[in-house]
Every structure is written in C-alpha cells, then in structure tokens.
Amino acid sequence: VEIVESGGDLVQPGGSLKLSCQASGFTFNQYYMAWLRQSPGKGLEWVSSIYSDGSNTYYADSVKARFTISRDNDRNTVYLQMDSLESEDTALYYCATVLWPGDYPTPPPIREYKYMGRGAQVTVSS
C-alpha cells in the first residue's frame, strides 16, 4: 500500500486549498478513505471521510460547510477541497484508509486507520 498526499501550502486566512491523495497497492474502489490532521502539540484528528463509491461523505463539525471530500476511482485519487480556511486549520494533513475493504455507516475511531501517507503541510497565516 502506498499513499501520497500533495497540495499543501501556505495560504492566507479566508483562502482556499485543494489537497490530493494518490493511492496504490490495493483495490481503491473498495476502500473507505479519510483525511486526518495533526496540529502542533495536538493529537491526530479525524477531518472527513468518504464511502468507497463516493455515495456518502462525513465531516467533523469544525470543518463542515467549509471542506469537501471527493474521490475519483478511475484515478485512485481522493481530494479535500478546503475553503474559508482559518488559522485553526493549520496542520499536517494525512490521507488514510482502513485495513479491510468496505464502508462504515459512521466514521470509525482513529485507530481503525491502518494506512496513511506522510502528510501534506497546510499553514494558514497572514
């Protein structure tokens, strides 16, 4: 399994950024995918997740209505569109998936995400 995030950058408050995650080594269209993040001095936090076919999406309250998760199963890629960014969104963002194929009716705990990339740094600052 290989997961590679890209698109991280420095952006001003109120700005937008789109992260991409290229995955390989597993049957991508059968796996639930998620974005997690870790801010300086804090633990890993779940941000958003999406069903294997893209039919359902979930968001943490802190990003709801500002972030949009999507996926392209033909390209083995998942995206995170981030709008109206705030300084509190500054973090290392990880793309992650679970150990087994299938979906979750409610987002699973962080410990269920067994595969993650190295992360993409998002810094929101003026």
Side-chain angles (χ1 to χ4, degrees):
V1 172
E2 184 174 19
I3 294 174
V4 180
E5 303 92 342
S6 62
D9 206 345
L10 170 64
V11 62
Q12 292 188 342
S16 297
L17 206 58
K18 187 173 186 176
L19 301 182
S20 298
C21 164
Q22 179 72 48
S24 60
F26 59 103
T27 309
F28 183 78
N29 63 9
Q30 295 181 3
Y31 279 76
Y32 185 91
M33 298 294 297
W35 286 96
L36 314 175
R37 69 185 181 185
Q38 187 163 23
S39 304
K42 295 185 179 180
L44 204 55
E45 174 191 17
W46 169 77
V47 175
S48 180
S49 52
I50 187 168
Y51 265 29
S52 56
D53 64 356
S55 60
N56 284 318
T57 58
Y58 303 93
Y59 300 93
D61 287 344
S62 59
V63 306
K64 202 171 291 183
R66 298 189 299 120
F67 289 12
T68 304
I69 190 172
S70 61
R71 65 191 294 162
D72 183 341
N73 283 348
D74 290 333
R75 297 178 185 270
N76 282 15
T77 302
V78 61
Y79 304 97
L80 186 68
Q81 175 67 43
M82 303 183 293
D83 299 317
S84 302
L85 282 161
E86 305 168 352
S87 58
E88 292 77 14
D89 297 316
T90 294
L92 190 59
Y93 283 72
Y94 297 96
C95 180
T97 191
V98 294
L99 187 60
W100 304 109
D103 293 307
Y104 291 78
T106 58
I110 294 284
R111 65 178 179 273
E112 294 297 317
Y113 295 102
K114 302 301 185 183
Y115 301 107
M116 295 169 54
R118 293 188 175 185
Q121 179 64 44
V122 173
T123 302
V124 184
S125 176
S126 55

